[in-house]
Amino acid sequence: MKITLMRAAACLALFGSAFAHAQTYPTKTITMIVPFAAGGPTDTVARLVAQSMGNKLKQQIIIENVGGAGGTIGAARVAKAAPDGYTLFLHHIGHSTAPSLYRKLSYNAQTDFEPIGLVTDVPMTIVARKDFPAKDIKEFLSYVKANKDKVTYANAGVGSASHLCGMLLMTAMGTDLTTVPYKGTGPAMNDLLGGQVDIMCDQTTNTTSQIKSGKIKAYAVTTKTRLANMPDLPTLNESGLPGFEVAVWHGLYAPKGTPKQIVDTLAGALQTALKDPNVKTRFADLGTEPVAEKRATPEALRAHVKAEIERWSPIISKAGVYAD
Ligand code: ASP
């Protein structure tokens, strides 16, 4: 009897503390790791979403940029972080390509993370320094082919979206270019603006304002259809590279083992952020939109990561691109 009572008391205490935890989270500032440099497109998406989620959760969410190696350095950091809801991770399509591209990864992209939800699918644009000689996409493709030994292509390292887009572009054109890797396309954009590097393929969340203010040249978009906010920009699909299509999906994660109540709280805050008029307007200005609510869920992101790993694996092994 005494033992039973003690057990019951212990159970109550345990249940009580779990309940209190669920009731009080979050009690302090949350850190959202972005695996690319500040000022780039993933960083821009993360900052908008973090601010709105923070309002909903009544706690600040700060961004920590851990760039390098196409996002894998940041991912490795999150995989080892405490699963207490105070470390989050906003990454993009690269999370699903890294397992095929890197010979050695210190983490498992599926089993070391708790998916929270998808965030947005961002189109990419082919851009160049302002004084790049080609006047349209047709001239761009023939100029790049004819000058393949001197044209430089900026990217954010193996496995980044800019690397993938470049890989697909070079394969479609049958041309290899010299690539210049950065810790993110924020710093790559600075060099494109300064004319130190020639061309890049990057998310509209980084390129739209520079294109609209005429500081860089834009040649094409990577989506199957043209963009509402830049309707004059042709698609690659209609410009001699039929079937060319890349959109950069972004997902939000926590480290594996983060309690389900916390993951659910975060998914709810993400869904609220994606309906926030300020987030929607800023996304629209940047050429993108939030995903539908049913995709901003742990189940949808878990299934998406698995499907994307399976989709990219044969494409990458056929291309024969690997990194150590
Ligand atoms: N757009 C970059 C990429 O190529 C990453 C970034 O800086 O956000 O993946």
Side-chain angles (χ1 to χ4, degrees):
M1 179 64 180
K2 198 172 161 198
I3 291 173
T4 314
L5 269 178
M6 274 170 64
R7 275 208 188 126
C11 275
L12 264 175
L14 258 178
F15 179 76
S17 81
F19 184 72
H21 188 56
Q23 288 296 295
T24 50
Y25 171 83
T27 56
K28 58 177 186 178
T29 300
I30 298 168
T31 299
M32 187 184 283
I33 292 187
V34 171
F36 297 105
T42 314
D43 180 71
T44 298
V45 166
R47 283 176 200 271
L48 283 168
V49 169
Q51 187 174 6
S52 185
M53 284 180 70
N55 292 343
K56 170 76 182 164
L57 296 169
K58 300 195 171 43
Q59 282 294 340
Q60 207 193 354
I61 303 183
I62 56 163
I63 302 295
E64 187 179 343
N65 299 91
V66 184
T72 57
I73 296 174
R77 165 90 78 87
V78 177
K80 285 192 208 80
D84 56 6
Y86 293 98
T87 302
L88 305 180
F89 183 43
L90 195 139
H91 194 2
H92 61 37
I93 189 169
H95 196 54
S96 66
T97 57
S100 310
L101 283 165
Y102 283 82
R103 282 184 231 272
K104 289 181 292 231
L105 276 188
S106 65
Y107 61 88
N108 182 306
Q110 291 186 83
T111 55
D112 284 334
F113 299 84
E114 291 304 336
I116 295 168
L118 280 147
V119 179
T120 177
D121 301 303
V122 185
M124 300 190 90
T125 43
I126 305 289
V127 294
R129 61 180 158 80
K130 197 180 170 189
D131 51 357
F132 196 68
K135 75 170 186 318
D136 56 25
I137 184 65
K138 206 162 162 261
E139 272 191 31
F140 174 93
L141 294 172
S142 54
Y143 180 88
V144 168
K145 240 176 135 90
N147 294 278
K148 64 181 173 55
D149 295 330
K150 63 174 203 212
V151 172
T152 49
Y153 179 94
N155 70 24
V158 175
S160 63
S162 44
H163 166 254
L164 291 172
C165 181
M167 204 173 79
L168 296 175
L169 188 66
M170 290 178 218
T171 308
M173 292 172 65
T175 304
D176 266 345
L177 299 173
T178 305
T179 54
V180 185
Y182 293 81
K183 282 193 171 174
T185 46
M189 177 61 82
N190 289 340
D191 276 8
L192 198 72
L193 290 165
Q196 287 93 342
V197 70
D198 294 320
I199 63 173
M200 174 160 79
C201 173
D202 200 24
Q203 288 111 294
T204 55
T205 35
N206 197 29
T207 59
T208 305
S209 57
Q210 309 294 3
I211 294 170
K212 289 197 166 174
S213 62
K215 293 195 181 125
I216 55 173
K217 272 187 181 164
Y219 292 100
V221 290
T222 63
T223 39
K224 271 271 170 68
T225 50
R226 292 188 179 206
L227 303 180
N229 73 336
M230 289 186 273
D232 295 339
L233 212 51
T235 66
L236 283 173
N237 184 48
E238 70 183 76
S239 309
L241 301 181
F244 195 104
E245 188 177 16
V246 198
V248 184
W249 58 268
H250 293 62
L252 183 65
Y253 311 79
K256 180 76 192 166
T258 304
K260 182 166 184 317
Q261 304 99 305
I262 291 181
V263 169
D264 289 345
T265 301
L266 290 164
L270 172 64
Q271 288 156 13
T272 304
L274 297 183
K275 280 185 230 134
D276 178 341
N278 179 45
V279 171
K280 286 171 92 167
T281 307
R282 286 290 294 132
F283 272 18
D285 290 346
L286 297 170
T288 190
E289 56 184 1
V291 298
E293 183 170 312
K294 64 176 190 305
R295 295 182 67 213
T297 62
E299 305 72 44
L301 179 56
R302 188 182 305 282
H304 193 71
V305 171
K306 182 172 183 293
E308 283 285 282
I309 289 176
E310 287 165 7
R311 179 167 85 94
W312 281 101
S313 165
I315 299 174
I316 291 165
S317 63
K318 197 166 159 219
V321 189
Y322 295 104
D324 289 314

